[in-house]
Amino acid sequence: MAQLIDGKAIAAQVRAEVKAEVAAWVAAGHRAPHLAVILVGDNPASASYVRGKTQAAAEVGIASETLHFDTHLTEAELLAEIERLNADESVDGILVQLPLPAHINPSRILHAIRPEKDVDGFHPVNAGRLLLGEPGFVPATPAGILELLRRSGIETAGKHAVVVGRSNIVGRPLAVLLLQRGIDATVTVCHSRTSNLAALTQQADILIAAIGQPRYITADMVRDGAVVIDVGINRVEDPAHPRGYRLVGDVDFEAVSQKAGWITPVPGGVGPMTIALLLRNTLYAAQQRYTYTYKARPL
Ligand SMILES: NC(=O)c1ccc[n+]([C@@H]2O[C@H](COP(=O)([O-])OP(=O)(O)OC[C@H]3O[C@@H](n4cnc5c(N)ncnc54)[C@H](OP(=O)(O)O)[C@@H]3O)[C@@H](O)[C@H]2O)c1
Protein backbone atom coordinates (compact mmCIF):
# COMPACT_ATOMS: atom_id res chain seq x y z
CA MET A 1 0.00 0.00 0.00
CA ALA A 2 1.45 3.35 -1.08
CA GLN A 3 2.35 6.12 1.35
CA LEU A 4 0.15 9.14 0.80
CA ILE A 5 1.84 12.42 -0.14
CA ASP A 6 -0.30 14.91 1.74
CA GLY A 7 -0.36 18.00 -0.48
CA LYS A 8 -2.71 19.83 1.87
CA ALA A 9 -0.32 19.50 4.80
CA ILE A 10 2.79 20.31 2.74
CA ALA A 11 1.05 23.33 1.16
CA ALA A 12 0.11 24.57 4.66
CA GLN A 13 3.80 24.33 5.58
CA VAL A 14 4.84 26.37 2.50
CA ARG A 15 2.14 28.97 3.20
CA ALA A 16 3.29 29.27 6.83
CA GLU A 17 6.86 29.88 5.62
CA VAL A 18 5.66 32.53 3.14
CA LYS A 19 3.60 34.17 5.89
CA ALA A 20 6.62 34.35 8.22
CA GLU A 21 8.81 35.76 5.43
CA VAL A 22 6.17 38.35 4.47
CA ALA A 23 5.94 39.42 8.12
CA ALA A 24 9.74 39.78 8.31
CA TRP A 25 9.74 41.75 5.03
CA VAL A 26 7.10 44.14 6.34
CA ALA A 27 8.82 44.40 9.74
CA ALA A 28 11.98 45.46 7.86
CA GLY A 29 10.06 48.51 6.61
CA HIS A 30 8.79 47.34 3.22
CA ARG A 31 5.17 47.46 2.16
CA ALA A 32 3.32 44.14 1.86
CA PRO A 33 3.77 42.31 -1.47
CA HIS A 34 0.94 43.16 -3.85
CA LEU A 35 -0.68 40.81 -6.37
CA ALA A 36 -3.03 42.05 -9.10
CA VAL A 37 -5.34 39.38 -10.53
CA ILE A 38 -7.18 39.93 -13.80
CA LEU A 39 -10.40 38.04 -14.41
CA VAL A 40 -12.31 38.49 -17.68
CA GLY A 41 -15.86 37.20 -18.07
CA ASP A 42 -17.99 35.13 -15.75
CA ASN A 43 -16.73 31.57 -15.97
CA PRO A 44 -17.69 30.22 -12.50
CA ALA A 45 -14.65 27.89 -12.27
CA SER A 46 -12.28 30.81 -13.03
CA ALA A 47 -14.06 33.05 -10.51
CA SER A 48 -13.71 30.34 -7.88
CA TYR A 49 -9.97 29.85 -8.64
CA VAL A 50 -9.44 33.60 -8.34
CA ARG A 51 -11.26 33.72 -4.99
CA GLY A 52 -9.10 30.83 -3.76
CA LYS A 53 -5.93 32.69 -4.74
CA THR A 54 -6.89 36.06 -3.25
CA GLN A 55 -8.13 34.49 -0.01
CA ALA A 56 -4.90 32.52 0.34
CA ALA A 57 -2.93 35.71 -0.35
CA ALA A 58 -4.77 37.57 2.42
CA GLU A 59 -4.05 34.75 4.88
CA VAL A 60 -0.28 35.14 4.41
CA GLY A 61 -0.33 38.95 4.47
CA ILE A 62 -0.05 39.52 0.71
CA ALA A 63 -2.26 42.37 -0.52
CA SER A 64 -4.25 41.48 -3.60
CA GLU A 65 -6.80 43.08 -5.86
CA THR A 66 -9.06 41.43 -8.41
CA LEU A 67 -9.72 43.42 -11.57
CA HIS A 68 -12.88 41.86 -12.92
CA PHE A 69 -13.84 42.81 -16.48
CA ASP A 70 -16.86 42.14 -18.60
CA THR A 71 -16.47 39.39 -21.21
CA HIS A 72 -16.70 42.04 -24.00
CA LEU A 73 -13.42 43.67 -22.94
CA THR A 74 -11.29 44.03 -26.05
CA GLU A 75 -7.74 42.77 -26.39
CA ALA A 76 -6.50 46.38 -26.74
CA GLU A 77 -8.26 47.36 -23.51
CA LEU A 78 -6.76 44.41 -21.67
CA LEU A 79 -3.28 45.24 -23.01
CA ALA A 80 -3.73 48.83 -21.80
CA GLU A 81 -4.66 47.51 -18.34
CA ILE A 82 -1.53 45.36 -18.26
CA GLU A 83 0.60 48.33 -19.29
CA ARG A 84 -0.91 50.30 -16.41
CA LEU A 85 -0.11 47.50 -13.93
CA ASN A 86 3.39 47.07 -15.39
CA ALA A 87 4.07 50.75 -14.70
CA ASP A 88 2.46 50.80 -11.25
CA GLU A 89 5.29 50.65 -8.72
CA SER A 90 2.90 49.43 -6.02
CA VAL A 91 2.12 46.21 -7.96
CA ASP A 92 4.62 43.35 -7.60
CA GLY A 93 2.84 40.47 -9.33
CA ILE A 94 0.36 40.31 -12.21
CA LEU A 95 -1.70 37.21 -12.87
CA VAL A 96 -4.17 36.79 -15.72
CA GLN A 97 -6.67 34.03 -15.00
CA LEU A 98 -6.99 31.65 -17.96
CA PRO A 99 -8.90 30.85 -20.10
CA LEU A 100 -9.58 34.23 -21.67
CA PRO A 101 -12.60 34.80 -23.95
CA ALA A 102 -12.00 33.48 -27.49
CA HIS A 103 -11.55 36.97 -29.04
CA ILE A 104 -8.45 37.63 -26.91
CA ASN A 105 -5.13 36.01 -27.83
CA PRO A 106 -3.72 34.66 -24.54
CA SER A 107 -0.09 34.66 -25.77
CA ARG A 108 -0.26 38.33 -26.69
CA ILE A 109 -1.56 39.11 -23.20
CA LEU A 110 0.87 36.92 -21.27
CA HIS A 111 3.82 38.24 -23.30
CA ALA A 112 2.85 41.82 -22.37
CA ILE A 113 3.38 41.26 -18.64
CA ARG A 114 6.76 42.50 -17.43
CA PRO A 115 8.84 39.36 -16.75
CA GLU A 116 9.73 40.55 -13.24
CA LYS A 117 5.99 40.76 -12.41
CA ASP A 118 5.12 37.47 -14.14
CA VAL A 119 4.37 35.37 -11.04
CA ASP A 120 2.77 32.60 -13.14
CA GLY A 121 6.07 32.13 -14.98
CA PHE A 122 4.43 32.00 -18.42
CA HIS A 123 6.37 34.85 -20.07
CA PRO A 124 8.93 33.68 -22.67
CA VAL A 125 11.75 35.29 -20.67
CA ASN A 126 10.89 33.18 -17.62
CA ALA A 127 10.30 30.07 -19.75
CA GLY A 128 13.70 30.69 -21.38
CA ARG A 129 15.41 31.19 -18.04
CA LEU A 130 13.97 27.90 -16.83
CA LEU A 131 15.22 26.15 -19.95
CA LEU A 132 18.72 27.61 -19.44
CA GLY A 133 18.73 26.76 -15.73
CA GLU A 134 18.83 30.43 -14.73
CA PRO A 135 16.82 31.94 -11.86
CA GLY A 136 13.39 33.25 -12.81
CA PHE A 137 9.75 32.53 -12.09
CA VAL A 138 8.83 28.87 -12.36
CA PRO A 139 5.16 28.05 -13.05
CA ALA A 140 3.45 27.20 -9.78
CA THR A 141 2.21 23.67 -10.54
CA PRO A 142 5.57 22.22 -11.62
CA ALA A 143 7.33 24.06 -8.77
CA GLY A 144 4.72 22.66 -6.36
CA ILE A 145 5.37 19.12 -7.59
CA LEU A 146 9.10 19.53 -6.94
CA GLU A 147 8.32 20.75 -3.41
CA LEU A 148 6.10 17.71 -2.82
CA LEU A 149 8.96 15.40 -3.80
CA ARG A 150 11.58 17.32 -1.85
CA ARG A 151 9.57 17.65 1.34
CA SER A 152 8.56 13.98 1.23
CA GLY A 153 12.26 13.06 1.14
CA ILE A 154 11.97 11.47 -2.31
CA GLU A 155 15.30 11.27 -4.12
CA THR A 156 15.23 12.54 -7.72
CA ALA A 157 18.93 12.30 -8.68
CA GLY A 158 19.52 9.50 -11.15
CA LYS A 159 15.87 8.43 -11.08
CA HIS A 160 13.85 7.89 -14.21
CA ALA A 161 10.98 10.39 -14.24
CA VAL A 162 8.26 9.83 -16.83
CA VAL A 163 6.07 12.89 -17.43
CA VAL A 164 2.81 12.21 -19.29
CA GLY A 165 1.62 15.50 -20.83
CA ARG A 166 3.53 18.30 -22.56
CA SER A 167 1.44 21.42 -21.91
CA ASN A 168 3.19 24.75 -21.39
CA ILE A 169 1.61 25.01 -17.94
CA VAL A 170 2.53 21.62 -16.47
CA GLY A 171 4.25 18.85 -18.47
CA ARG A 172 6.84 20.81 -20.42
CA PRO A 173 8.16 23.08 -17.61
CA LEU A 174 8.07 20.13 -15.20
CA ALA A 175 10.23 18.03 -17.54
CA VAL A 176 12.75 20.89 -17.78
CA LEU A 177 12.74 21.37 -14.01
CA LEU A 178 13.39 17.67 -13.39
CA LEU A 179 16.44 17.92 -15.67
CA GLN A 180 17.96 20.84 -13.71
CA ARG A 181 21.32 20.36 -12.08
CA GLY A 182 20.64 19.54 -8.43
CA ILE A 183 17.42 17.72 -9.29
CA ASP A 184 19.14 15.45 -11.79
CA ALA A 185 16.39 13.12 -12.93
CA THR A 186 16.54 11.30 -16.26
CA VAL A 187 13.38 12.44 -18.01
CA THR A 188 11.03 10.90 -20.55
CA VAL A 189 8.15 13.05 -21.81
CA CYS A 190 5.04 11.38 -23.27
CA HIS A 191 1.98 12.81 -25.04
CA SER A 192 -1.02 11.76 -27.06
CA ARG A 193 1.12 10.55 -30.00
CA THR A 194 3.43 8.41 -27.85
CA SER A 195 3.46 4.78 -28.99
CA ASN A 196 3.06 2.15 -26.32
CA LEU A 197 2.71 4.53 -23.40
CA ALA A 198 2.44 1.71 -20.86
CA ALA A 199 5.88 0.34 -21.81
CA LEU A 200 7.36 3.73 -20.85
CA THR A 201 5.31 4.42 -17.73
CA GLN A 202 6.22 0.96 -16.42
CA GLN A 203 9.87 2.07 -16.39
CA ALA A 204 9.21 5.12 -14.23
CA ASP A 205 10.69 5.50 -10.76
CA ILE A 206 8.68 8.72 -10.64
CA LEU A 207 5.54 8.88 -12.79
CA ILE A 208 3.75 12.18 -13.26
CA ALA A 209 0.36 12.26 -14.96
CA ALA A 210 -0.76 15.64 -16.36
CA ILE A 211 -3.15 14.51 -19.05
CA GLY A 212 -6.69 15.61 -18.19
CA GLN A 213 -8.25 12.14 -18.65
CA PRO A 214 -10.02 10.62 -15.65
CA ARG A 215 -8.24 7.57 -14.18
CA TYR A 216 -6.24 7.03 -17.37
CA ILE A 217 -3.18 5.63 -15.61
CA THR A 218 -4.11 2.14 -14.46
CA ALA A 219 -2.25 -0.22 -12.12
CA ASP A 220 -0.75 -2.30 -14.95
CA MET A 221 1.00 0.86 -16.24
CA VAL A 222 2.83 1.43 -12.92
CA ARG A 223 5.94 -0.23 -11.58
CA ASP A 224 5.91 -1.72 -8.04
CA GLY A 225 7.01 0.89 -5.53
CA ALA A 226 6.96 3.84 -7.98
CA VAL A 227 6.27 7.42 -6.90
CA VAL A 228 3.04 8.52 -8.61
CA ILE A 229 2.13 12.21 -8.85
CA ASP A 230 -1.37 12.88 -10.15
CA VAL A 231 -1.84 16.40 -11.53
CA GLY A 232 -5.22 15.78 -13.19
CA ILE A 233 -8.41 17.44 -11.99
CA ASN A 234 -11.38 15.91 -13.78
CA ARG A 235 -15.09 16.13 -13.03
CA VAL A 236 -16.96 12.83 -13.21
CA GLU A 237 -20.71 12.50 -12.73
CA ASP A 238 -21.71 11.21 -9.32
CA PRO A 239 -25.43 11.33 -8.52
CA ALA A 240 -24.64 10.39 -4.91
CA HIS A 241 -22.65 13.60 -4.48
CA PRO A 242 -24.54 16.79 -3.48
CA ARG A 243 -23.02 18.69 -6.45
CA GLY A 244 -23.83 15.85 -8.86
CA TYR A 245 -20.14 15.34 -9.68
CA ARG A 246 -16.86 14.67 -7.96
CA LEU A 247 -13.22 15.31 -8.77
CA VAL A 248 -10.88 12.54 -9.80
CA GLY A 249 -7.31 12.56 -11.04
CA ASP A 250 -5.63 11.14 -14.13
CA VAL A 251 -4.64 8.09 -12.07
CA ASP A 252 -6.87 5.19 -11.02
CA PHE A 253 -6.12 5.92 -7.37
CA GLU A 254 -7.74 2.86 -5.73
CA ALA A 255 -5.85 0.30 -7.81
CA VAL A 256 -2.58 2.22 -8.29
CA SER A 257 -2.23 2.97 -4.57
CA GLN A 258 -2.05 -0.82 -3.99
CA LYS A 259 1.06 -0.97 -6.14
CA ALA A 260 2.88 2.37 -5.90
CA GLY A 261 5.34 3.31 -3.15
CA TRP A 262 4.07 6.89 -2.87
CA ILE A 263 1.01 8.56 -4.34
CA THR A 264 -0.74 11.95 -4.31
CA PRO A 265 -4.53 12.01 -3.82
CA VAL A 266 -6.99 14.13 -5.83
CA PRO A 267 -8.14 16.41 -4.34
CA GLY A 268 -5.53 17.26 -1.70
CA GLY A 269 -2.35 16.50 -3.65
CA VAL A 270 -0.89 18.81 -6.29
CA GLY A 271 -3.83 21.28 -6.27
CA PRO A 272 -3.11 23.00 -2.93
CA MET A 273 0.59 23.28 -3.84
CA THR A 274 -0.19 25.39 -6.90
CA ILE A 275 -1.66 28.20 -4.79
CA ALA A 276 1.09 27.98 -2.17
CA LEU A 277 3.82 28.34 -4.82
CA LEU A 278 1.99 31.25 -6.46
CA LEU A 279 2.16 33.03 -3.09
CA ARG A 280 5.86 32.26 -2.82
CA ASN A 281 6.43 33.64 -6.34
CA THR A 282 4.59 36.84 -5.35
CA LEU A 283 6.81 37.27 -2.30
CA TYR A 284 9.89 36.75 -4.51
CA ALA A 285 8.52 39.30 -6.99
CA ALA A 286 8.33 41.93 -4.25
CA GLN A 287 11.79 41.09 -2.94
CA GLN A 288 13.52 41.01 -6.31
CA ARG A 289 11.96 44.28 -7.43
CA TYR A 290 13.51 45.83 -4.38
CA THR A 291 16.94 44.50 -5.20
CA TYR A 292 16.46 44.79 -9.00
CA THR A 293 17.88 41.34 -9.60
CA TYR A 294 16.39 37.93 -10.05
CA LYS A 295 16.51 36.02 -6.83
CA ALA A 296 17.73 32.44 -7.15
CA ARG A 297 14.99 29.98 -6.40
CA PRO A 298 15.69 27.56 -3.58
CA LEU A 299 15.01 24.49 -5.65
N1 LIG B 1 -3.42 20.49 -9.73
C1 LIG B 1 -3.30 21.66 -10.34
O1 LIG B 1 -3.08 22.67 -9.73
C2 LIG B 1 -3.43 21.70 -11.82
C3 LIG B 1 -2.85 22.74 -12.56
C4 LIG B 1 -2.94 22.70 -13.96
C5 LIG B 1 -3.61 21.65 -14.57
N2 LIG B 1 -4.21 20.68 -13.81
C6 LIG B 1 -4.91 19.54 -14.41
O2 LIG B 1 -3.92 18.70 -15.02
C7 LIG B 1 -4.45 18.11 -16.19
C8 LIG B 1 -3.55 18.50 -17.36
O3 LIG B 1 -3.60 19.90 -17.52
P1 LIG B 1 -2.89 20.66 -18.73
O4 LIG B 1 -3.21 22.08 -18.63
O5 LIG B 1 -1.47 20.22 -18.78
O6 LIG B 1 -3.73 19.98 -19.95
P2 LIG B 1 -3.60 20.11 -21.51
O7 LIG B 1 -3.07 21.43 -21.91
O8 LIG B 1 -4.91 19.62 -22.04
O9 LIG B 1 -2.47 19.03 -21.89
C9 LIG B 1 -2.71 17.66 -21.75
C10 LIG B 1 -1.50 16.91 -22.20
O10 LIG B 1 -1.77 15.51 -22.04
C11 LIG B 1 -1.51 14.84 -23.25
N3 LIG B 1 -2.46 13.74 -23.40
C12 LIG B 1 -3.81 13.83 -23.54
N4 LIG B 1 -4.34 12.60 -23.67
C13 LIG B 1 -3.30 11.73 -23.62
C14 LIG B 1 -3.21 10.32 -23.71
N5 LIG B 1 -4.30 9.56 -23.88
N6 LIG B 1 -2.00 9.75 -23.61
C15 LIG B 1 -0.89 10.50 -23.44
N7 LIG B 1 -0.91 11.85 -23.35
C16 LIG B 1 -2.12 12.45 -23.43
C17 LIG B 1 -1.69 15.86 -24.35
O11 LIG B 1 -0.92 15.46 -25.46
P3 LIG B 1 -0.80 16.36 -26.82
O12 LIG B 1 0.14 17.47 -26.47
O13 LIG B 1 -0.24 15.39 -27.80
O14 LIG B 1 -2.20 16.81 -27.13
C18 LIG B 1 -1.16 17.12 -23.68
O15 LIG B 1 0.22 17.24 -23.83
C19 LIG B 1 -5.89 18.61 -16.31
O16 LIG B 1 -6.74 17.65 -15.69
C20 LIG B 1 -5.88 19.89 -15.49
O17 LIG B 1 -7.16 20.19 -14.95
C21 LIG B 1 -4.11 20.69 -12.46
Side-chain angles (χ1 to χ4, degrees):
M1 188 71 186
Q3 284 203 59
L4 206 64
I5 301 178
D6 186 347
K8 244 167 115 173
I10 297 175
Q13 211 177 69
V14 174
R15 289 200 310 271
E17 289 167 15
V18 172
K19 185 174 182 173
E21 214 176 315
V22 167
W25 179 250
V26 171
H30 305 288
R31 61 166 174 71
H34 180 173
L35 174 67
V37 182
I38 294 180
L39 175 62
V40 186
D42 36 316
N43 176 336
S46 293
S48 144
Y49 285 137
V50 166
R51 269 195 309 279
K53 289 169 186 176
T54 54
Q55 271 167 19
E59 279 162 25
V60 300
I62 291 176
S64 70
E65 58 178 321
T66 303
L67 301 158
H68 190 177
F69 298 100
D70 185 76
T71 189
H72 301 300
L73 182 81
T74 65
E75 189 176 282
E77 285 167 337
L78 183 50
L79 284 170
E81 196 56 39
I82 293 199
E83 275 316 311
R84 187 185 70 73
L85 295 168
N86 278 341
D88 185 340
E89 286 302 312
S90 75
V91 172
D92 300 301
I94 304 170
L95 182 157
V96 178
Q97 184 65 42
L98 300 175
L100 287 166
H103 64 276
I104 299 180
N105 178 337
S107 300
R108 211 169 285 152
I109 300 302
L110 296 176
H111 296 188
I113 297 172
R114 262 173 67 182
E116 54 278 39
K117 296 192 179 190
D118 168 42
V119 287
D120 259 341
F122 296 155
H123 190 282
V125 165
N126 285 313
R129 284 177 177 267
L130 177 61
L131 191 65
L132 297 174
E134 293 176 7
F137 289 114
V138 179
T141 302
I145 292 167
L146 260 294
E147 285 294 333
L148 283 179
L149 295 174
R150 204 169 66 138
R151 291 176 193 242
S152 304
I154 293 166
E155 181 60 78
T156 49
K159 302 295 177 193
H160 184 190
V162 176
V163 179
V164 191
R166 58 175 165 182
S167 73
N168 287 344
I169 297 174
V170 189
R172 207 177 283 241
L174 177 63
V176 173
L177 206 49
L178 285 161
L179 271 181
Q180 299 282 35
R181 228 171 256 290
I183 298 171
D184 299 323
T186 301
V187 183
T188 299
V189 187
C190 306
H191 47 78
S192 69
R193 305 295 302 274
T194 297
S195 313
N196 204 355
L197 180 66
L200 293 164
T201 60
Q202 281 158 2
Q203 293 173 33
D205 301 310
I206 302 172
L207 175 61
I208 298 133
I211 316 169
Q213 310 269 0
R215 302 194 197 91
Y216 193 84
I217 303 292
T218 48
D220 57 306
M221 297 169 80
V222 177
R223 197 163 113 174
D224 275 326
V227 177
V228 178
I229 306 287
D230 190 352
V231 187
I233 303 178
N234 309 290
R235 282 184 181 195
V236 292
E237 274 186 38
D238 182 358
H241 198 280
R243 283 182 304 211
Y245 69 87
R246 69 198 166 89
L247 298 179
V248 300
D250 290 343
V251 173
D252 178 4
F253 182 87
E254 281 71 29
V256 172
S257 58
Q258 303 297 318
K259 204 171 178 193
W262 296 82
I263 193 164
T264 59
V266 176
V270 175
M273 295 302 290
T274 298
I275 290 192
L277 272 288
L278 166 70
L279 301 176
R280 197 168 80 179
N281 276 353
T282 305
L283 168 68
Y284 289 171
Q287 292 176 332
Q288 78 194 15
R289 258 162 45 75
Y290 183 73
T291 54
Y292 295 101
T293 61
Y294 274 89
K295 183 178 160 150
R297 329 171 281 276
L299 271 177

